Amino acid sequence: GIAAGFTNDLVKRFNKGLPQTHITLQSSSGGVAVVSSVDKGEGQLGLAQSDVTYLAYRRGIEKNLYPHKNLRAITVLWVNTFYVLVRADSPFRSITDLKGKRVGVIRPGTSGEFTTRIVLGAHGMSQSYADVEPVFEPTDTLMPMLAKREIDAVFSANPLMLDTIQTLSKTTPLRLLPIGRTEVNELRSSYPFLRPVTVAAHKLAGQTQPIETLGSEWLLVCRSDLSEEVVYQLTREFFAQLPAMAKDYGEAALIDPEQAPATPIPLHPGAARYYREREILR
């Protein structure tokens, strides 16, 4: 559901480096769908946001309200940052100003759409979108709509600010709306794996001040019934390939191997074995 280039390349590298395995890629609507699919055995590996994974493991998520006890973690990936974008000439200064407005939202089933709902709730608005007029499309579709004033804001979540956003900001000045520490801390009481994130000044053309928002780490997860040896080999190959991938994919460059085993759900024994050998997990 996210980082398509990185994910496609990773699958190719797994298949080349581990000829005894064969991994096929199946696209999904996003992280919320991924965790339930892996838990049900519809897939064996997946990428999902840490707060979504934790909720699913502990008590279930969305329509699948049962503990997803078949989920295990392989590694922490990058931090996904949540962006709320408006045109620079708009009157909106906070998320509460968007009440009753047309807002673009990533499609349901994604971790970003899940985060959008809880962020609206933290700002006193309905999590069922009763207080806004939602338009559900991929961010790349929503940004031109924002430029044409067909919508008033875009809620997006990505490890890096998308090229679509950066390109548009050069012709249509944009602003980021803040999510303050008070709101983030309130959310963390229920979603402890959300974290405050600061978007540095000039990350967006014309944005001269740093902006506070939130984010969450992404994980590579797997089924608990995969063999220890298979997951050990996958974990070892992942870190063997990471330096090369970091040269081609900005999100891969954000991955910190020292933080890799700090997952919110139990590590798969095969991954834990790899980290013990690397002396990362003690």
Side-chain angles (χ1 to χ4, degrees):
I2 195 170
F6 168 89
T7 308
N8 277 282
D9 193 21
L10 179 60
V11 168
K12 291 176 182 177
R13 289 172 182 270
F14 274 153
N15 287 333
K16 183 177 180 180
L18 302 171
Q20 72 275 23
T21 67
H22 180 67
I23 299 171
T24 57
L25 184 62
Q26 179 179 336
S27 62
S28 77
S29 58
V32 174
V34 164
V35 291
S36 292
S37 293
V38 171
D39 182 72
K40 293 174 182 176
E42 296 169 353
Q44 284 73 46
L45 297 168
L47 275 66
Q49 198 163 289
S50 59
D51 57 320
V52 167
T53 305
Y54 174 77
L55 284 175
Y57 179 80
R58 290 294 301 272
R59 59 177 174 83
I61 195 163
E62 301 295 85
K63 297 177 181 179
N64 298 306
L65 293 176
Y66 53 84
H68 288 36
K69 293 302 184 182
N70 295 318
L71 287 176
R72 294 294 183 273
I74 294 178
T75 183
V76 173
L77 299 172
W78 51 75
V79 173
N80 221 35
T81 300
F82 191 74
Y83 302 105
V84 184
L85 295 131
V86 296
R87 292 183 305 277
D89 62 0
S90 76
F92 312 120
R93 297 293 166 180
S94 71
I95 291 175
T96 54
D97 292 339
L98 298 175
K99 189 170 185 178
K101 305 303 180 183
R102 302 159 297 174
V103 299
V105 184
I106 314 167
R107 285 176 173 167
T110 60
S111 298
E113 190 271 336
F114 177 83
T115 304
T116 297
R117 281 184 275 127
I118 64 176
V119 165
L120 290 175
H123 289 82
M125 287 187 269
S126 168
Q127 293 192 29
S128 66
Y129 298 109
D131 295 312
V132 296
E133 297 179 30
V135 177
F136 298 104
E137 293 289 349
T139 302
D140 286 349
T141 301
L142 293 169
M143 293 311 300
M145 296 174 67
L146 181 64
K148 296 174 185 176
R149 302 181 185 273
E150 295 171 355
I151 54 177
D152 299 298
V154 172
F155 290 77
S156 178
N158 289 282
L160 299 166
M161 196 171 290
L162 295 177
D163 289 342
T164 307
I165 298 173
Q166 298 282 21
T167 301
L168 180 62
S169 70
K170 296 174 183 177
T171 56
T172 302
L174 302 171
R175 270 190 294 111
L176 291 169
L177 296 185
I179 303 175
R181 293 297 168 92
T182 299
E183 289 79 12
V184 174
N185 289 336
E186 177 185 332
L187 284 169
R188 281 170 57 83
S189 64
S190 299
Y191 307 96
F193 293 96
L194 292 175
R195 58 163 63 183
V197 173
T198 300
V199 180
H202 307 295
K203 282 288 185 180
L204 181 68
Q207 189 86 53
T208 59
Q209 300 294 323
I211 297 293
E212 290 185 342
T213 183
L214 56 79
S216 184
E217 291 168 328
W218 271 67
L219 309 173
L220 179 61
V221 298
C222 66
R223 284 268 304 177
S224 60
D225 58 4
L226 277 179
S227 76
E228 178 180 327
E229 182 61 24
V230 166
V231 177
Y232 171 79
Q233 295 292 343
L234 287 168
T235 310
R236 186 175 67 175
E237 188 66 18
F238 176 83
F239 286 101
Q241 296 294 338
L242 186 58
M245 296 186 73
K247 295 177 181 179
D248 295 326
Y249 305 99
E251 55 266 53
L254 299 174
I255 298 171
D256 180 358
E258 295 298 314
Q259 296 300 314
T263 58
I265 65 170
L267 285 167
H268 190 284
R273 173 181 153 197
Y274 170 81
Y275 295 126
R276 283 194 298 270
E277 289 184 2
R278 284 276 305 269
E279 297 185 353
I280 295 175
L281 181 64
R282 293 179 174 86

